[in-house]
Structure formats: C-alpha cells, structure tokens
Amino acid sequence: MTKPLWTSDDITLATGGVATAPFTVTGTVSIDTRSLERGDLFVALKDQRDGHDFVEAAFEAGAAGALVSRKKGDGPQVVAEDTLTALEQLGVAARARCGAHRTAITGSAGKTSVKEMLARIYRALGPAHWSTKSFNNHWGVPLTLARMPEETERAVFEIGMSTPGEIAPRSRMVRPHTGLITCIAGAHLEGLGSLEVIAREKADIFAGLEAGGTFILPADDTFFEYLADRARTLCPTGNLETFGHAKDATARIVGYETDGTASRIQVDVVGKPVLVTVNAVGEHWAMNVAAALLAATQSGAAVADCAEALSGYAPPPGRGTAERLALPGGGSFTLIDDAYNANPGSMRAALSSLKQRGAGRRLVALGEMLEIGERSDAEHAGLAEAVVATGAEGVFLAGDNMTHLAEALPSDLQQVWAPRADELFNALENALRDGDVVLIKGSNASGMGRLADRLRQWSAAADMGKMVSGTEGAAGVS
C-alpha cells in the first residue's frame, strides 16, 4: 500500500511551522488551484499573485491542507515564516527520506527532451519520479522534490537558469548521483553575456553532486575540456562519462537514419550496441538518445533494457511533434510544432531536420529568439543559410528581431514578415497546399505556439464541416 505523501506532523518537522489542525496528504503538492486535486497539499507562494488569495479556493477544490505564511480561512494549515523557504525545506526532507537514484540535467538545448526520455526509461524500470513540464526554476525544483514519494527508486530533475547563480543552489538541493549537461549554446546570452559564462553556470549542475557520483558531458562540445575541468573541481571524486560522435565517447553514436517520420538510432554504450527508434526527425535526436541511455545506465539498469524502454518515444507538445492536419479544400499538410523555445543552436537543428521530412513543399514560420543579448541582430541574420538549405518555398517571420533574417534572405525567396505571430495566420493559411510540411518555431514568448494552435483549430473546423456536410448528404439518400 502506498504511503501518504505527507502528514501535517511531517510538514511541521521539516519546516518548523505550526499546524492549525492535523491532516494527511494523499495526493501531491500543488501551487495552482486550477490543477489541484482532492487530497493535495496547497502551497501559497507569492509571485505575480499572492497564493494566499487562493487558499479558500484550494479547500473548496478538496485540498487536504495548506502551507501558508499566515492563516487563511478555516481549513487545516501549517503556518511557516516563508512559504518558498518552507517548500525548499519540504523538498530537502523528501530527498533525505528517499533512497532513489537522482539524475539532474541542464544544458542550452535538449534538456527537457532528455529529461522526458529518462522519465520514460525510469518508469519502465520501477517506481519513478520526474519533473513535469519544465519545472526547473527556483520554485519548480523544490516543488518536484517535495512531490517525490518515499518509495521512488529513480528520479530525474531538470535544472535551468536565466541569470548567474541559479543552478548551484538547486543542484545542492537535489544532490544528484548523476549530473548531465546536454550542450552549451547561445541561450540566455542576455542575462549571462557570453558562452563562457553560460558554460561556467551550466557546470554548476555538479556543485551538489554526491561524492563518487557521475558527471556526463557532450564529447563533441567546444567547451568539453572546460566543463570536465570544472566538474572535477566541483566534485573531485566524480567519474567522467561522455556521449556523442567522438570515437572515445562512452555512449557513441554509430548510426542514424530516418524515413521522414521516425528515426533509427544506433548507439554503442561501453561496447554494447543497441538500436532505438524514436518518433522524431533530426540528427540532434541521436545526441539526446545517447545522453539518456548513458544516464540511465548509471542508475544500475542494463543498456538493453534502457534501449527497449526508450524505443517508441515521441517528443512532448511544442518540441518537434509532427501532426497531419486536414485542409478545408481537401488534402492535408504536416505541422511540425517546435514552438516551445528557441536559440541559435536549436533553430539550426530544427531547420536541418526539416530537410529530412520526406516529399512535399516546405514552409518555414519562425518567431524571434529572445534573451540572446547584444548578438541578437547577428544571430537572427545568421539563420539565413540554414533557412535556404531547407529548400523552403515560403518563409513567414514574426517580430522585430526577425527583420534581420528577412534582410539576409535571398530576394527571390518568397517571404512574409509581421510584427506579431498571430498576424501571420492569414498569409500562412492562404499559402498551404496539399502535401506541404510547415515548421513553426520560436521562443515561447514570441507567440508562435499560438500560431500552431490556430492552424489546429482551423483544420479541426474544416474536418467538422466535412462531417456535417457528409451527415446532411447521407440524410437525403432514399
């Protein structure tokens, strides 16, 4: 029988708070009443809005109790001095009572995908725990820890940053047995200033590494030697393992092929060859697979079991998923939704993978890359070669920064620019034909995800119209 996640006594012991009445948490830990379920613990954090304003709504939704800094309403609560600090203390307590192998992941691109891959493998191997969505910031990491059941055997945590000094304290909170860096690229340059600073900050994933733990690095990365030196400094007793195309990589990519819908990836992990099939396209997925397999084996799992569990993986929404959508006039097109985030490296990877998507015209819809600092103009213009290489017959660009790419593209390449992503819809709708493949990508705040959603709604309405028309026609048959 699964033990309750927390009791009010556990919470007061971990946080030093005072309980107004006893309660037992049979669900999970929530900070959002919109997704809260019966039996959850509601934590009233203060951010853009004060969570204390929603305590009573949490109890109406069935919360077992609340963690607050001041009592609100009549439901059972633990009152602590500061709720974020209390959540961190609860997370540390969850880690301390659980014997799980903990893996922590960071990197400029691919970290959420590798985290999701590891979560898939770990679930197949036994009781597992993982970060949901991209809960990788100052509240996401302690929240993920606080949600970890005591019986967990393997857990994976994503750790992110946007400014200096954010990764090290989260690593010390998680105390990973295995730490992994996917790559170093120009993400968050605005807050960090240079790739060198990004590399230094990402290496802080090893600041909390357990003694004798494993640090996993991308063997082909320009910053490999720097990262290895930093890792050894932060954890002198750690063990270095690598992944990539390098001949001496611990997990070496030896083969990649795609049919335009799925990819077959061959990886040699310490002399043991395995084959993994994923429902995604692009050679960057081979790097993700190699990293995930290597990290999973550090938890004591056999590489063959890990490869079997990983096969069939498909990326989460907004991270390169491919969908066949109906056109109103008949036929269909393929939507590649990679609109969750973007930086120069991930943009080039997505554009490169578009070339492997089989037959059909290619269209490219790109939103701005944000938070890349003073090199923003040059980085946007620098995408021109990669866009041209896709063979795209139409390019749709949104945002002020994308004017630099527009100017760098050949004058004979048909293109549309708009200040906002939403304003591209009519032009894109009019351009689409049967058999087309359209890639949509941009930083999350650029709004390109909404453009993808509008295309889905447009297609769904077309399908519904056909169904209604078909029903009316059938009703008239005698």
Side-chain angles (χ1 to χ4, degrees):
M1 182 177 177
T2 303
K3 294 177 60 176
L5 185 64
W6 296 106
T7 67
S8 51
D9 286 344
D10 297 331
I11 298 168
T12 57
L13 183 63
T15 66
V18 177
T20 64
F23 61 87
T24 299
V25 179
T26 57
T28 188
V29 181
S30 174
I31 60 171
D32 189 342
T33 55
R34 294 170 297 182
S35 56
L36 184 144
E37 296 185 2
R38 185 166 296 278
D40 287 356
L41 171 70
F42 178 68
V43 181
L45 295 181
K46 295 180 181 179
D47 192 32
Q48 293 179 340
R49 302 184 70 176
D50 188 344
H52 291 81
D53 295 339
F54 301 92
V55 171
E56 291 173 291
F59 285 120
E60 290 174 5
L67 179 56
V68 298
S69 60
R70 60 183 186 275
K71 188 175 182 297
K72 291 283 291 187
D74 298 325
Q77 299 162 52
V78 171
V79 184
E81 185 173 344
D82 179 85
T83 50
L84 179 57
T85 299
L87 179 62
E88 293 170 349
Q89 293 167 331
L90 204 59
V92 170
R95 183 203 74 208
R97 71 183 182 183
C98 176
H101 179 97
R102 298 180 299 278
T103 305
I105 299 173
T106 194
S108 299
K111 58 182 178 292
T112 300
S113 296
V114 175
K115 180 262 294 182
E116 291 292 332
M117 288 180 168
L118 271 171
R120 179 184 174 98
I121 295 170
Y122 287 174
R123 287 193 296 268
L125 298 173
H129 186 66
W130 59 95
S131 308
T132 59
K133 300 180 182 179
S134 289
F135 283 8
N136 62 20
N137 62 3
H138 63 289
W139 55 259
V141 173
L143 178 63
T144 302
L145 272 169
R147 289 173 165 179
M148 184 166 62
E150 188 173 350
E151 61 270 21
T152 301
E153 294 177 359
R154 293 175 176 86
V156 55
F157 301 84
E158 181 180 335
I159 300 181
M161 65 166 188
S162 56
T163 56
E166 295 184 55
I167 288 183
R170 296 166 200 167
S171 173
R172 295 188 184 103
M173 198 179 300
V174 172
R175 294 291 299 272
H177 300 92
T178 300
L180 186 155
I181 296 176
T182 58
C183 67
I184 302 300
H188 303 302
L189 277 169
E190 187 173 46
L192 296 164
S194 70
L195 288 174
E196 289 74 15
V197 175
I198 290 173
R200 181 178 180 85
E201 292 297 320
K202 294 296 185 183
D204 278 351
I205 191 78
F206 308 121
L209 195 70
E210 292 278 13
T214 299
F215 31 86
I216 297 177
L217 298 175
D220 310 304
D221 199 281
T222 304
F223 286 90
F224 172 76
E225 293 295 343
Y226 174 82
L227 294 172
D229 288 345
R230 281 280 292 155
R232 293 187 185 101
T233 298
L234 291 167
C235 185
T237 60
N239 173 51
L240 172 63
E241 304 289 358
T242 62
F243 66 94
H245 295 279
K247 291 182 179 180
D248 59 349
T250 314
R252 182 168 60 91
I253 299 164
V254 296
Y256 173 84
E257 61 183 18
T258 181
D259 60 6
T261 301
S263 298
R264 288 163 50 89
I265 299 161
Q266 294 176 292
V267 183
D268 185 302
V269 184
V270 198
K272 297 178 180 178
V274 291
L275 175 67
V276 173
T277 301
V278 297
N279 296 321
V281 174
E283 293 194 35
H284 57 290
W285 286 104
M287 296 291 284
N288 294 341
V289 165
L293 289 177
L294 181 55
T297 61
Q298 303 306 305
S299 72
V303 64
D305 293 338
C306 297
E308 181 180 0
L310 185 53
S311 282
Y313 169 87
R319 297 184 182 275
T321 49
E323 306 163 63
R324 179 78 70 178
L325 300 178
L327 286 166
S332 63
F333 69 98
T334 299
L335 170 64
I336 311 299
D337 182 0
D338 202 353
Y340 188 82
N341 220 332
N343 60 54
S346 67
M347 274 285 199
R348 288 184 172 83
L351 291 165
S352 177
S353 68
L354 182 60
K355 294 184 293 183
Q356 301 171 310
R357 286 286 179 179
R361 291 194 317 158
R362 288 159 174 75
L363 304 177
V364 175
L366 303 178
E368 296 176 294
M369 299 180 291
L370 303 175
E371 299 182 15
I372 56 176
E374 60 186 22
R375 284 193 49 79
S376 178
D377 295 357
E379 293 290 0
H380 282 84
L383 296 175
E385 183 178 350
V387 170
V388 171
T390 66
E393 295 190 29
V395 179
F396 303 81
L397 306 173
D400 291 340
N401 288 317
M402 276 298 171
T403 58
H404 303 290
L405 173 56
E407 293 168 359
L409 289 171
S411 58
D412 60 346
L413 178 56
Q414 183 178 355
Q415 60 174 280
V416 176
W417 175 86
R420 296 182 303 160
D422 293 343
E423 297 174 47
L424 290 177
F425 177 73
N426 288 339
L428 189 54
E429 171 194 350
N430 292 331
L432 282 166
R433 302 177 191 166
D434 182 32
D436 284 354
V437 181
V438 56
L439 168 69
I440 295 184
K441 188 165 181 64
S443 289
N444 197 23
S446 72
M448 296 302 285
R450 294 194 300 273
L451 180 61
D453 287 339
R454 286 192 68 181
L455 287 175
R456 292 187 185 96
Q457 293 162 6
W458 174 62
S459 175
D463 257 355
M464 183 62 68
K466 291 173 187 174
M467 289 173 62
V468 171
S469 175
T471 300
E472 291 172 348
V477 175
S478 59

